[in-house]
Amino acid sequence: MFNSVFHCASTRLAGLLVLLLMVGTIPALVASEEIQWRETVEDTMSEATKTGKPIMMDFYTDW
């Protein structure tokens, strides 16, 4: 009885570890495309409109 409970728990733990490994590595493999930085908002908006991709604008100041 104890062996079957222990085996079931270790199987679940192994499955959980494999799942966590996959969740941690698959996004890194999918996101292999590098960020293409643009210099002007006009160029960026034009390209985003053509490709249908969203843009991210990062504002920074050192006040």
Side-chain angles (χ1 to χ4, degrees), residues 1-62:
M1 171 83 179
F2 180 73
N3 286 339
S4 65
V5 171
F6 180 72
H7 177 69
C8 183
S10 65
T11 303
R12 286 184 185 167
L13 180 61
L16 179 62
L17 290 175
V18 169
L19 179 64
L20 289 175
L21 181 64
M22 289 173 58
V23 167
T25 57
I26 290 177
L29 294 173
V30 172
S32 62
E33 185 177 327
E34 291 187 23
I35 296 173
Q36 300 295 318
W37 298 101
R38 302 293 185 261
E39 295 294 323
T40 65
V41 175
E42 292 82 13
D43 293 343
T44 304
M45 293 299 293
S46 173
E47 186 174 339
T49 303
K50 290 177 188 174
T51 61
K53 292 183 178 180
I55 63 170
M56 182 184 127
M57 297 177 74
D58 182 26
F59 297 94
Y60 175 79
T61 185
D62 192 18

